[in-house]
Amino acid sequence: MRNALLVYPGFPGSFWSFQHALKFIDRKAAMPPLPLMTVAAMLPREWKIRLIDENIEPLTDADLAWADIAFFSAMMVQKESFFTLVSRAKRAGLCVVIGGPYPTSYKPEIEERVPGMVDHFFLGECEETLPGFLEDLESGRARRIYEGPQSGTRIMTDVTRSPTPRFDLVNMQSYATMLVQWSRGCPFDCEFCDITKLFGRIPRLKSASQILAELDALYCLGWRGRVFFVDDDFIGNKKAVVPLLEAIAGWQQKRGHPFQFVTEASIDLAAYATILRLMRRAGFVGVFVGIESPNDAALTITVKGQNRKRGMSAHEHLLKSVRIIQQHGIEVSGGFIVGLDGDTEFDSHVRFIEEAGIPMAMVGLLGAIRGTNLWDRLVREGRILKDGTHSGDNTAFVLNFRTQLPREAVFEHYRAVISTLYEPTLRRYFRRCLTLIRNLGPLEVGGYGSFDTWTNLKAFIRSVMWQGFSRQGPAYFLFLARALLYRPRLFPLAVMLAANGYHFEKVTREAIAAYESTL
């Protein structure tokens, strides 16, 4: 029997962390560490397990003294916390095992930063390699590197072997959203993205029964509220998603619609009315879409063909698609990139975001990730700077390659975009929120929640206190009044959007202040 620590490093503050909005609902982090909860479900039953999420609570010396083995998973943006925690675990005499996107793509960097601190690397997915490692560990012949099965560029891990995650290992009330995953892989191959390098271009699917079992586990543990399907592209297999959505809709109806789902999908979702109707029936209220740029030239260079349509400008096609999704009662949040080759101005980004009614526009600077097609092209063109290291934080004013536009011009464009979208009074932000609320189609049962819980009521009271009596006050009260007048059923959504705006404005101010301190 072993005492195993599963440790998730901390995230820096960014648009994605929502740390300022979480204070409204007394939560400490947006989402729990799904990879480690999945690994925990694969460990021997007789092992004792502690899961430490540094975004919730610190790893203590007592935790390290209790354990004899530590598992770490990390994304690139977590790497500074990751290095610190790995070093502590090894100095405490633990066997250190690491995996996840960052170790898979940046093994040499890890060996350079924490030399001799890692005993075992898991590269790629671990459902088919972890059982062998556990046998090797007990027999004293564990290898240093375990790689997930792959045939050429095709990832071969069978996700139907993935167990129901150990949701019971976390305090659910510390998080705003729970996570499940149906598929891995994306059929597209955007130049800047590492998803296809990590998970392949052929989506691999769990069965509907696996997903319902995971929803059952969350439900039985008392979770009610948002559940995020963290698929790379939820509609990557459009034929298979239909029966899945039908099964989820039936599950929701039997239990009184306890969950509101959000996910990630490509913009061509708008072309599939049947899928959109089923998503609404199943309780999907939001989708994140990688829009990147409304300009044809940039989308062509970055191989984002799914965002373009013959006979229409990219702006027109994307705007029409966002409208269709919104009209099915699903909020669209979007990813946008500053620094793509082919983009020469960025006022078009702001115009598109405002016209489309996208309150949560996650705008970031482009980073070149090792192993991507973008990285390979920039290496060929001699444009990677120094060793090409990157923090992974795309809200920071950092570039690891030479942009087509002058570097300082890109920084100034980025500052102009985010300071316009999230200016101190949030006037323009609330205007986008109102556009969204007007565009949203009718909702299914469950919708965006209500004020029938103390948590939601407390969030509203705090919103009034923290935003209403600040420089955001005039635009804030006008927005809430109009939302209540036009769409009273969407008032809980309006309050949530207001809290998110509070977060985005603070992160914008912090990012710009950090940049200006370097000038």
Side-chain angles (χ1 to χ4, degrees):
M1 183 180 72
R2 291 179 180 266
N3 293 341
L5 277 178
L6 282 70
V7 185
Y8 200 51
F11 283 95
S14 71
F15 286 146
W16 295 96
S17 66
F18 288 96
Q19 76 269 23
H20 300 298
L22 293 171
K23 296 185 295 185
F24 287 74
I25 55 173
D26 289 327
R27 299 292 196 262
K28 295 181 179 180
M31 295 172 282
L34 184 64
L36 289 178
M37 292 190 292
T38 303
V39 168
M42 300 171 66
L43 296 178
R45 290 186 178 182
E46 64 271 18
W47 283 25
K48 294 182 179 179
I49 299 171
R50 288 185 189 176
L51 194 156
I52 305 294
D53 181 353
E54 275 267 320
N55 302 283
I56 303 297
E57 59 182 332
L59 176 67
T60 67
D61 291 341
D63 292 322
L64 294 170
W66 169 83
D68 49 62
I69 187 169
F71 294 81
F72 295 85
S73 178
M75 294 184 283
M76 183 163 58
V77 71
Q78 297 169 283
K79 67 180 183 178
E80 295 306 323
S81 173
F82 168 80
F83 292 142
T84 299
L85 296 170
V86 164
S87 298
R88 285 183 61 198
K90 193 59 186 174
R91 287 197 299 268
L94 276 61
C95 174
V96 173
V97 185
I98 69 170
Y102 177 57
T104 296
S105 298
Y106 284 84
K107 178 176 174 288
E109 181 175 287
I110 293 170
E111 292 179 312
E112 180 180 335
R113 288 288 302 271
V114 283
M117 297 287 183
V118 177
D119 296 293
H120 307 286
F121 282 87
F122 277 79
L123 308 181
E125 300 164 58
C126 73
E127 277 87 352
E128 299 196 29
T129 52
L130 186 60
F133 164 74
L134 295 172
E135 292 179 7
D136 294 345
L137 186 67
E138 293 309 310
S139 64
R141 51 186 175 85
R143 304 192 306 272
R144 188 155 190 266
I145 299 173
Y146 288 79
E147 294 190 63
Q150 189 168 336
S151 176
T153 59
R154 183 172 181 178
I155 309 300
M156 303 298 290
T157 298
D158 180 3
V159 296
T160 63
R161 298 181 59 176
S162 191
T164 297
R166 288 285 307 275
F167 298 114
D168 60 297
L169 291 176
V170 300
N171 177 4
M172 289 184 171
Q173 298 311 309
S174 294
Y175 298 95
T177 304
M178 286 292 114
L179 306 178
V180 295
Q181 184 183 53
W182 173 53
S183 67
R184 294 181 196 157
C186 178
F188 303 106
D189 199 18
C190 305
E191 186 187 45
F192 58 84
C193 186
D194 64 346
I195 291 299
T196 57
K197 313 309 176 188
L198 293 169
F199 303 120
R201 291 192 63 182
I202 301 175
R204 290 161 292 121
L205 315 174
K206 292 180 181 177
S207 66
S209 61
Q210 281 177 282
I211 294 302
L212 297 185
E214 294 184 21
L215 298 182
D216 278 333
L218 289 170
Y219 183 82
C220 291
L221 287 168
W223 181 255
R224 303 293 183 270
R226 290 211 163 198
V227 176
F228 189 178
F229 273 83
V230 289
D231 296 49
D232 308 309
D233 182 359
F234 185 69
I235 61 165
N237 186 320
K238 296 173 180 63
K239 182 178 180 180
V241 77
V242 170
L244 174 72
L245 288 168
E246 290 172 339
I248 294 173
W251 186 94
Q252 285 266 76
Q253 186 173 17
K254 287 180 181 178
R255 291 160 182 79
H257 295 84
F259 299 150
Q260 300 90 47
F261 297 113
V262 292
T263 192
E264 303 176 44
S266 48
I267 195 67
D268 60 332
L269 170 63
Y272 297 89
T274 298
I275 294 176
L276 282 167
R277 286 194 295 269
L278 283 170
M279 288 179 71
R280 184 171 62 185
R281 271 186 53 207
F284 280 78
V285 298
V287 61
F288 176 85
V289 176
I291 294 172
E292 325 313 352
S293 171
N295 299 322
D296 289 277
L299 294 173
T300 298
I301 293 171
T302 202
V303 196
K304 196 87 178 182
Q306 67 270 31
N307 284 19
R308 303 180 64 217
K309 186 174 183 179
R310 183 175 296 179
M312 301 177 72
S313 70
H315 181 108
E316 292 170 330
H317 170 58
L318 290 167
L319 182 62
K320 180 180 178 181
S321 298
V322 169
R323 282 280 189 275
I324 291 171
I325 297 170
Q326 290 171 337
Q327 287 164 0
H328 282 80
I330 298 172
E331 177 192 354
V332 175
S333 55
F336 296 85
I337 297 175
V338 172
L340 291 171
D341 287 356
D343 269 330
T344 57
E345 53 76 35
F346 297 91
D347 290 343
S348 57
H349 291 58
V350 174
R351 286 197 303 272
F352 175 83
I353 291 165
E354 294 191 331
E355 190 175 353
I358 300 178
M360 291 192 289
M362 306 301 207
V363 185
L365 284 165
L366 179 63
I369 302 173
R370 287 183 185 273
T372 61
N373 296 338
L374 173 65
W375 174 273
D376 293 343
R377 175 168 69 85
L378 294 176
V379 167
R380 291 194 303 270
E381 296 173 359
R383 294 170 59 187
I384 296 293
L385 299 175
K386 297 180 181 178
D387 58 357
T389 58
H390 193 273
S391 68
D393 179 4
N394 66 355
T395 57
F397 284 72
V398 176
L399 291 165
N400 66 340
F401 68 100
R402 284 190 293 106
T403 49
Q404 281 188 337
L405 295 176
R407 181 184 183 86
E408 293 307 319
V410 173
F411 286 159
E412 288 305 313
H413 281 303
Y414 180 55
R415 174 162 62 175
V417 170
I418 60 175
S419 62
T420 299
L421 293 174
Y422 304 114
E423 45 83 28
T425 69
L426 288 183
R427 179 179 56 84
R428 297 177 76 149
Y429 173 81
F430 286 128
R431 193 162 62 197
R432 298 200 305 277
C433 293
L434 195 62
T435 299
L436 167 67
I437 283 176
R438 284 171 164 164
N439 290 342
L440 280 176
L443 298 171
E444 292 293 314
V445 176
Y448 286 95
S450 65
F451 290 111
D452 58 357
T453 67
W454 170 237
T455 297
N456 291 342
L457 182 58
K458 186 163 52 177
F460 176 50
I461 294 171
R462 286 173 174 168
S463 175
V464 171
M465 292 173 57
W466 296 345
Q467 295 182 269
F469 299 99
S470 71
R471 55 186 168 181
Q472 298 170 13
Y476 167 83
F477 282 121
L478 181 61
F479 163 63
L480 289 187
R482 287 177 170 173
L484 195 58
L485 176 65
Y486 298 143
R487 303 289 297 278
R489 282 192 63 198
L490 297 185
F491 193 69
L493 171 63
V495 174
M496 183 185 74
L497 290 171
N500 288 340
Y502 179 87
H503 166 75
F504 294 137
E505 190 276 330
K506 279 189 173 293
V507 169
T508 296
R509 196 150 29 95
E510 291 162 359
I512 291 174
Y515 167 61
E516 290 177 343
S517 70
T518 66
L519 298 179

